[in-house]
């Protein structure tokens, strides 16, 4: 079902579809769909000039859904793409369909055959793993040479992937997307006599290892790490905070159930059906989901149900405008699917890539400049989002790395957490600083927020 | 009619002695190419995930698969390749790629000194019927719906009720060019309940999860009534709780899942992977006091039915009981094959991985602080003003050792007595600062099932402790 060289795996969509069709017919299954993917990965890690770990992987996976005679859905996933594996997967999915949810049965997306927007994604050949190793060794060497306090780069990696993904259904939909991506991360550790070790780093993504901005990654990792060497504790209290683009995107992403129709229907979102049209935030905030943005490395043209990905206004003028949907949630709301679905018996819904900023609205403080601020906390990165965020309650309490700016001079904060309520945050925005920055998770400028609770580690 | 088999009766082709010659061929080829050690890890999996919401089964997610991970050492360096292709061609291709990572090439004749595999140590012989002994889909869905129904009966203001169940069956075979040849079957089951209580602006979400290994009928034995009552009481208590005031307090941590802090903040620093990275502050501290004398901590893989127990680790070694800290003194690190090679710390049966897609690494199993002489009431009674953490959520440990953990259910302690519930608390600190402040351990040690994500993926573990008192810790709040 897959053909594979040492470097690139490719799915034969036509053969896979034909095989499923025959197997399904043999089992009396008339309606089915599937998502399949295969990939080849290589990655390296280094430690003080030596190879630490070299890894390669050939992966394949398939998820089949079937509809039984009562219209109920069953599903099975497997890594076995052999004919026997597919037959077994179909059989198990059919058995599972007896327990399908009669109250909410997924269907094929009405947009599963709609035209896809073209993506400008170069397919780059992978480079040899020993070349990756040399590149990462050199990056580590340069980073270690940037400051005498930088003693190691304990977390680092250079990886590349070639992948192929398809969606097929028994009504004739056929989607396929091939992709090559590469990533590098460098997290340095710096230590000075009598002081606590400090750590920071940077990440870069590209369509191939040869396109990675290694110099930028090294520069950012060094700059960030060095900036935390001179640190001091912070007094517990309430502060005006400036979120870096990465930190604010992380925070909004952690509360994306606000915009998620699946979470709304499940009763675990702060939003409800009537929330559309309500003022959610300050009037100068806009949030769009745009998986097709050219800055979204590795963007998908279609979601797990084959629906085209698109740009969608979630919040405009501070007003909640639209939810993100799967086929089933869209049907429940009487709208079209939006390209945010997974593939399942109960289909998950998730955001793709967020654009945050003033949009077409105006307002908020102008001339905000953290380099001229006083008594302001600059939050560079948030941690432990999986544990410190309560999406259904709206509250968060998160450790962060950042600086206290006094008289325009930033000084690293030894250790601290920031706590608050997302609804309060969204209505306490003072404004944006600078242009939006493209990050792996989205596009966002620096965001100023008034009056957040900061706890210093005493 | 559809000719599908009941899930429990699906035939899975086992890893058996027929694999010996195929594996020996791979291992000999690797050694002949110049590798100092070659290891093959074969895996077959069968998974069921179920979700019940309110009073409906909303998701049934079966999955199955096979794969292999091939690891090649040349001195203390290694290359690792995983594949879903278990054909001879697939295994050879993976071996060739792994050798190439170390500058080695297939093709040399001979066996490179490989003397063949030893006798198969088959820990799975008595476990072959486990998969078919697990609850049927009908029984499992029935138990989950019973759980969400009990939440409805015992709870109030519940906006969302969920029950989830996961059954993970895994057959593994490990073969290495040092003669290691072993097979095992593992079975992990977990069941959880979650509820979101809402009343106007007040909201509280609570969850509980229980897990076991090696007990096919465990779901049928699950005390859904007690689980639901416990969860509803917590949700009710926390629904209108005020936010905790930030500051530095004495803290009493409850037993069972309270042990997650020791696991995350200290246990990971005692794995040889951290030694290799140079990221543990305890690198040269074996034999030195690193904790209060009240603290003895253990990691083991032997407790019957515990989520982190194993008959063998993922490198074919039988697990041990490893005393990490004894009366405050650091005794040992947890080590795997690569850890032993690179740090000199002897293997402890701790080489673990999520699946064939990961190389094994030194990881925890059942990790706990040992029981002390006090009663829980002694600990609470010794605190004039502090925080009681009855239920802990997740957390994280930074690359330089700082930890942060969310408190799911907390109560103020005032004049030695439990006071009002508080929410939004986060415990913040560093292991090397906090370990010396664990001044009292109670006599009520219990373990709790959990999942640990790290360098070799997500694995089944237990955490545990008795009630413990930390003399002072930073509490993040509002």
């Amino acid at each position: 079902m897959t053909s594979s060289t040492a470097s690139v795996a490719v799915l034969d969509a036509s053969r896979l579809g034909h095989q499923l069709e025959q197997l399904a017919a043999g089992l009396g299954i008339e309606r089915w769909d599937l998502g399949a993917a295969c990939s080849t990965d290589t990655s390296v890690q280094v430690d003080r000039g030596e190879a630490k770990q070299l890894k390669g992987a050939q992966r394949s996976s398939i998820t089949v859904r079937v509809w039984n005679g009562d219209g109920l859905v069953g599903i099975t996933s497997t890594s076995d793409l052999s004919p026997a594996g597919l037959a077994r997967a179909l059989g198990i999915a059919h058995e599972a369909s007896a327990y399908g949810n009669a109250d909410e049965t997924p269907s094929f997306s009405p947009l599963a055959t709609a035209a896809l927007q073209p993506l400008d994604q170069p397919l780059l050949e992978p480079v040899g793993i020993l070349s990756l190793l040399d590149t990462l060794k050199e990056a580590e060497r340069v980073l270690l040479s940037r400051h005498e306090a930088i003693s190691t780069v304990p977390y680092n990696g250079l990886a590349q992937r070639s992948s192929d993904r398809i969606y097929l259904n028994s009504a004739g939909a056929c989607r396929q997307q091939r992709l090559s991506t590469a990533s590098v991360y460098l997290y340095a550790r710096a230590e000075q006599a009598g002081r606590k070790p400090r750590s920071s780093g940077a990440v870069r993504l590209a369509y191939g290892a040869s396109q990675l901005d290694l110099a930028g990654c090294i520069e950012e990792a060094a700059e960030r790490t060095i900036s935390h060497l001179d640190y001091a504790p912070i007094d517990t209290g309430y502060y005006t905070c400036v979120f870096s683009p990465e930190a604010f995107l992380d925070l909004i992403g952690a509360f994306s159930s606000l915009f998620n129709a699946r979470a709304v229907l499940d009763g675990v979102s702060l939003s409800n059906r009537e929330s559309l049209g309500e003022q959610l935030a300050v009037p100068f905030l806009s949030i769009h989901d745009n998986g097709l943005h050219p800055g979204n490395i590795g963007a998908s043209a279609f979601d797990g149900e084959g629906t085209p990905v698109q740009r969608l206004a979630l919040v405009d003028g501070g007003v909640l405008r639209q939810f993100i949907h799967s086929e089933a949630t869209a049907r429940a709301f009487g709208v079209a699917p939006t390209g945010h679905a997974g593939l399942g018996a109960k289909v998950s819904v998730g955001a793709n890539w967020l654009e945050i900023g003033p949009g077409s609205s105006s307002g908020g403080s102008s001339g905000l400049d953290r380099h001229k601020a006083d008594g302001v906390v600059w939050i560079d990165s948030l941690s432990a989002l999986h544990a410190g965020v309560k999406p259904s309650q709206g509250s968060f309490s998160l450790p962060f790395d950042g600086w206290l700016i006094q008289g325009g001079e930033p000084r690293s904060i030894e250790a601290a957490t920031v706590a608050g309520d997302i609804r309060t945050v969204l209505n306490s925005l003072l404004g944006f600083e600078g242009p939006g920055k493209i990050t792996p998770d989205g596009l966002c400028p620096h965001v100023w927020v008034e009056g957040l609770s900061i706890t210093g580690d005493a | 009619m559809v000719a599908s088999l009941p899930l429990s009766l699906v035939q899975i082709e086992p890893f058996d002695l027929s694999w010996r010659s195929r594996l020996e061929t791979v291992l000999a080829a690797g050694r002949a190419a110049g590798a100092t050690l070659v290891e093959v890890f074969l895996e077959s999996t069968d998974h069921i995930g179920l979700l019940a919401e309110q009073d409906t089964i909303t998701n049934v997610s079966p999955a199955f698969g096979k794969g292999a991970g091939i690891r090649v050492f040349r001195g203390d360096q290694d290359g690792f390749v995983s594949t879903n292709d278990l054909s001879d061609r697939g295994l050879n291709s993976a071996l060739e790629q792994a050798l190439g990572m170390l500058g080695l090439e297939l093709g040399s004749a001979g066996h490179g000194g490989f003397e063949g595999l030893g006798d198969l140590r088959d820990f799975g012989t008595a476990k072959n019927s486990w998969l078919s002994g697990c609850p049927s889909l009908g029984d499992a869905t029935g138990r989950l719906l019973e759980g969400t129904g009990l939440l409805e009966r015992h709870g109030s203001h519940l906006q969302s009720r969920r029950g989830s169940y996961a059954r993970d069956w895994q057959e593994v075979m490990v073969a290495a060019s040092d003669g290691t040849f072993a097979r095992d079957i593992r079975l992990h089951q977990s069941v959880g309940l979650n509820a979101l209580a809402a009343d106007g602006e007040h909201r509280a979400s609570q969850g509980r999860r229980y897990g076991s290994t090696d007990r096919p009928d465990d779901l049928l034995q699950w005390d859904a009534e007690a689980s639901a009552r416990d969860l509803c009481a917590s949700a009710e208590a926390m629904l209108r709780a005020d936010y905790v005031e930030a500051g530095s307090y004495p803290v009493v941590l409850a037993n069972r899942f309270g042990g997650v802090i020791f696991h995350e903040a200290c246990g990971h620093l005692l794995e040889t992977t951290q030694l290799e990275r140079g990221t543990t502050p305890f690198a040269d501290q074996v034999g030195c006091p690193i904790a209060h004398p009240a603290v003895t901590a253990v990691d083991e893989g032997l407790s019957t039915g515990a989520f982190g127990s194993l008959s063998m680790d993922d490198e074919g070694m039988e697990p041990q009981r490893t005393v990490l800290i004894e009366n405050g003194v650091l005794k040992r690190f947890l080590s795997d094959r690569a850890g032993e090679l690179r740090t000199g710390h002897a293997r402890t049966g701790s080489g673990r991985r999520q699946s064939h897609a990961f190389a094994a690494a030194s990881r925890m199993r059942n990790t706990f602080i040992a029981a002390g002489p006090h009663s829980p009431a002694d600990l609470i009674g010794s605190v004039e003003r502090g925080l009681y953490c009855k239920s802990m959520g997740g957390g994280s440990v930074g690359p330089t050792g700082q930890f942060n953990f969310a408190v799911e259910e907390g109560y103020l302690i005032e004049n030695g007595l439990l006071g009002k519930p508080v929410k939004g608390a986060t415990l913040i600190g560093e292991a090397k600062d906090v370990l010396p402040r664990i001044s009292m351990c109670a006599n009520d040690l219990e373990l709790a099932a959990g999942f640990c994500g790290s360098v070799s993926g997500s694995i089944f573990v237990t955490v545990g402790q008795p009630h413990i008192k930390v003399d002072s810790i930073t509490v993040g709040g509002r």
Side-chain angles (χ1 to χ4, degrees):
Chain A
M1 210 55 56
T2 63
S3 62
S4 170
T5 67
S7 56
V8 181
V10 178
L11 287 164
D12 186 340
S14 162
R15 190 172 155 202
L16 189 57
H18 184 63
Q19 197 150 27
L20 251 292
E21 203 168 68
Q22 287 188 324
L23 287 167
L27 290 167
I29 297 167
E30 294 178 355
R31 198 165 185 226
W32 54 264
D33 67 358
L34 74 89
C38 68
S39 64
T40 59
D41 300 72
T42 47
S43 64
V44 297
Q45 294 177 21
V46 299
D47 182 14
R48 286 159 282 199
E50 297 292 334
K52 172 158 176 59
Q53 187 163 65
L54 306 173
K55 281 184 72 171
Q58 289 98 38
R59 297 190 178 93
S60 55
S61 65
I62 186 168
T63 298
V64 293
R65 286 196 305 192
V66 304
W67 280 256
N68 68 19
D70 296 325
L72 301 178
V73 170
I75 190 166
T76 294
S77 300
T78 182
S79 59
D80 185 352
L81 270 60
S82 70
L86 294 178
R88 185 176 164 211
L90 273 176
I92 293 176
H94 191 272
E95 188 186 342
S97 70
Y99 298 88
N101 181 6
D103 296 334
E104 188 190 295
T105 302
S107 188
F108 294 158
S109 168
L111 300 177
T113 54
L116 298 175
Q117 289 199 41
L119 289 170
D120 183 15
Q121 294 176 320
L123 269 180
L124 300 182
E125 280 294 311
V127 302
I129 194 165
L130 296 180
S131 170
L132 288 183
L133 181 61
D134 288 342
T135 302
L136 190 59
K137 278 182 183 174
E138 177 63 9
E140 185 200 38
R141 188 192 66 75
V142 174
L143 181 51
L144 287 171
S145 71
R146 286 296 308 275
H147 195 283
E148 60 188 13
I150 299 180
S151 52
T152 59
V153 188
Y155 297 93
N156 64 72
L158 177 54
Q160 60 185 356
R161 162 175 289 192
S162 299
S163 61
D164 191 7
R165 169 177 163 251
I166 63 173
Y167 171 82
L168 306 172
N169 70 29
S170 56
C174 179
R175 306 287 202 193
Q176 183 158 18
Q177 184 177 10
R178 292 177 189 154
L179 193 63
S180 65
T181 53
S183 63
V184 60
Y185 64 94
L186 299 166
Y187 276 77
R189 176 185 164 105
E191 206 158 1
Q192 289 180 312
R195 305 284 281 167
K196 291 184 175 180
R198 308 290 281 171
S199 182
S200 195
V203 181
R204 292 290 187 277
L205 306 179
Y207 285 104
S210 60
Q211 289 192 344
L212 282 167
D213 176 16
L214 281 161
C217 189
I218 294 166
E219 183 65 28
E220 185 180 330
E223 209 172 277
R224 279 186 158 162
T225 307
I226 294 165
S227 76
H228 289 297
L229 283 172
D230 177 31
Y231 62 85
I234 187 171
D235 290 335
T236 296
Y238 287 86
Y239 293 82
T240 293
C241 296
V242 188
F243 285 82
S244 71
E246 293 88 347
F248 199 71
L249 283 161
D250 275 347
L251 187 66
I252 297 300
F255 286 101
S256 62
S257 60
L258 278 164
F259 323 116
N260 187 319
R262 180 72 273 163
V264 170
L265 291 175
D266 290 348
V268 293
S269 170
L270 292 170
S271 303
N272 55 51
R273 279 173 174 269
E274 288 70 47
S275 299
L276 292 176
E278 289 182 354
Q279 194 77 31
L280 178 69
V282 291
F284 52 87
L285 175 70
S286 289
I287 303 175
H288 289 73
D289 187 275
N290 184 12
L292 300 174
H293 192 285
N296 182 16
I297 303 292
S300 292
F302 55 92
D303 71 3
E305 299 179 317
T307 303
V309 169
Q310 59 179 299
R311 187 171 191 264
L312 198 69
L314 307 176
V315 175
D316 191 27
V319 175
L320 184 60
R321 301 291 184 187
Q322 293 178 85
F323 293 131
I324 56 177
H325 286 283
S326 66
E327 178 281 328
T329 66
R331 193 158 24 98
F333 278 77
V335 297
T338 57
H340 295 87
L343 181 65
K346 175 174 182 170
V347 179
S348 62
V349 175
N352 291 319
W353 201 84
L354 297 175
E355 295 176 359
I356 298 174
S360 56
S361 317
S362 59
S365 301
S366 60
L368 294 170
D369 184 352
R370 63 193 179 281
H371 301 295
K372 295 177 181 170
D374 191 54
V376 167
V377 169
W378 177 1
I379 296 176
D380 187 35
S381 63
L382 298 167
S383 307
L385 287 119
H386 66 286
V389 168
K390 303 286 181 197
S392 59
Q393 299 177 38
S395 62
F396 63 89
S397 179
L398 297 166
F400 68 92
D401 285 337
W403 304 272
L404 175 62
I405 306 171
Q406 289 178 306
E409 289 296 320
R411 190 176 187 194
S412 178
I413 296 167
E414 182 178 353
T417 59
V418 56
D421 182 283
I422 191 63
R423 293 160 293 194
T424 309
V425 168
L426 291 173
N427 284 287
S428 304
L429 265 58
L430 293 171
F432 303 108
E433 178 186 336
K437 177 187 173 187
I438 291 174
T439 80
D441 298 317
L443 172 74
C444 186
H446 281 80
V447 183
W448 286 61
V449 182
E450 192 176 24
L452 283 171
S453 171
I454 302 287
T455 304
D457 183 5
Chain B
M1 286 299 291
V2 170
S4 64
L5 290 167
L7 299 187
S8 59
L9 298 181
V10 168
Q11 293 299 306
I12 296 173
E13 192 178 316
F15 296 128
D16 56 23
L17 283 169
S18 67
W19 275 87
R20 173 187 284 274
S21 62
R22 292 181 64 196
L23 291 169
E24 286 183 330
T25 301
V26 171
L27 299 174
R31 284 299 307 273
T36 50
L37 188 113
V38 183
E39 179 200 77
V40 181
F41 178 85
L42 301 175
E43 177 193 42
S44 173
T45 59
D46 194 288
H47 166 87
I48 289 280
L50 303 178
L51 177 66
E53 294 175 279
Q54 321 310 345
D55 300 302
T56 305
I57 296 296
T58 57
N59 207 3
V60 177
S61 304
F64 64 92
K66 280 190 176 184
I70 296 185
R71 194 175 195 184
V72 174
F73 285 86
R74 187 183 194 187
D76 64 357
Q77 303 216 329
D78 72 292
F80 176 80
V81 174
S82 64
T83 180
N84 295 127
D85 185 353
L86 297 193
S87 68
D88 287 341
R89 189 178 65 89
L91 294 179
N92 264 327
S93 171
L95 174 66
E96 186 173 17
Q97 193 182 351
L99 289 168
M101 293 173 178
L102 303 176
L104 302 173
E105 288 184 11
L106 271 180
S108 305
H111 50 73
F114 173 54
E115 296 176 353
L117 292 171
D119 291 338
L120 177 67
R121 289 178 296 125
D122 193 345
F123 298 97
T125 306
K127 307 174 185 176
N128 289 326
S129 63
W130 276 2
L131 185 56
S132 58
C134 288
S136 66
L137 269 180
D139 288 341
T141 53
R143 289 247 61 198
L144 273 194
L145 291 173
E146 180 188 345
T148 56
L150 286 163
L151 289 177
E152 174 71 3
R153 186 187 307 166
H154 296 304
S156 58
H157 307 295
L158 297 189
Q159 179 171 309
S160 166
R161 295 173 283 123
R162 289 187 180 206
S164 59
Y165 165 72
R167 186 263 287 147
D168 288 283
W169 177 93
Q170 181 195 41
E171 181 191 19
V172 301
M173 177 169 268
V174 180
S177 59
D178 64 358
T180 301
F181 191 32
R183 171 185 177 265
D184 195 16
I185 286 175
R186 288 90 177 254
L187 176 67
H188 293 89
Q189 293 179 92
S190 67
V191 58
L193 292 176
N194 291 76
L196 171 65
D199 187 17
E201 287 299 299
H202 301 285
R203 286 179 163 227
S205 58
Q206 292 286 317
R208 298 286 188 274
R209 181 152 284 276
Y210 307 86
S212 73
T213 185
D214 301 359
R215 293 174 179 159
D217 67 343
D218 200 53
L219 181 64
L220 304 180
Q221 308 303 322
W222 171 48
D223 190 345
E225 175 79 25
S227 301
R229 282 184 184 276
D230 180 34
L231 182 62
C232 290
S234 293
E236 182 69 21
M238 297 306 294
L239 181 57
R240 293 176 185 79
D242 289 332
Y243 284 101
V244 70
E245 188 182 335
S248 196
Y249 303 104
V251 165
V252 175
L253 288 158
N255 59 356
R256 302 187 78 243
F257 203 67
V260 69
I261 295 186
F262 180 83
H263 169 104
E264 294 287 357
C266 183
H268 280 298
L269 300 177
L270 301 179
E271 297 166 341
T272 50
T273 47
Q274 300 288 328
L275 275 177
E276 292 175 51
R277 283 185 200 280
T279 47
T280 172
F282 303 127
D284 302 317
Q285 301 289 303
V286 172
C288 300
I290 64 166
H292 192 283
V295 176
T296 290
V298 174
D299 181 274
E300 49 85 6
L302 304 168
S303 294
T304 304
F307 221 35
S309 292
L310 303 157
S311 297
M312 68 174 209
D313 74 359
D314 292 326
E315 297 178 318
M317 181 177 178
E318 291 175 53
Q320 303 175 345
R321 183 177 192 273
T322 309
V323 176
L324 302 171
I325 299 170
E326 190 170 36
N327 301 324
V329 175
L330 177 60
K331 306 300 283 187
R332 269 197 90 156
F333 280 80
L334 297 173
S335 187
D336 63 325
R337 190 190 289 278
E340 182 177 74
L341 210 55
R342 293 168 183 153
T343 70
H345 289 270
R347 291 167 68 187
T348 51
S350 308
R352 303 188 65 192
R353 60 183 114 199
Q354 176 181 326
S355 71
H356 67 276
F358 295 85
S362 56
R363 303 289 297 274
M364 286 173 273
R365 298 156 298 191
N366 308 307
T367 313
F368 55 88
I369 296 176
H374 305 285
S375 72
D378 292 340
L379 275 59
I380 294 167
S382 72
V383 175
E384 188 174 330
R385 183 170 183 274
L387 181 68
Y388 176 59
C389 305
K390 183 180 176 188
S391 174
M392 296 302 300
S396 73
V397 183
T400 53
Q402 314 97 321
F403 66 78
N404 292 265
F405 285 90
V407 180
E408 294 285 335
E409 185 178 0
Y411 297 84
L412 294 179
I413 303 174
E414 293 169 317
N415 300 317
L417 297 171
L418 290 185
K420 65 178 184 177
V422 286
K423 65 182 178 183
T426 305
L427 304 186
I428 307 163
E430 285 191 40
K432 65 182 174 56
D433 296 334
V434 171
L435 281 172
R437 298 187 207 149
I438 302 174
S439 60
M440 296 174 79
C441 295
N443 52 11
D444 58 345
L445 168 66
E446 283 191 47
L447 303 181
F451 300 89
C452 172
S454 185
V455 59
S456 60
S458 177
I459 59 171
F460 304 98
V461 298
T462 62
V463 299
Q465 64 176 33
H467 275 75
I468 63 169
K469 176 188 171 188
V470 183
D471 288 338
S472 174
I473 194 167
T474 301
V475 178
R478 299 260 182 109

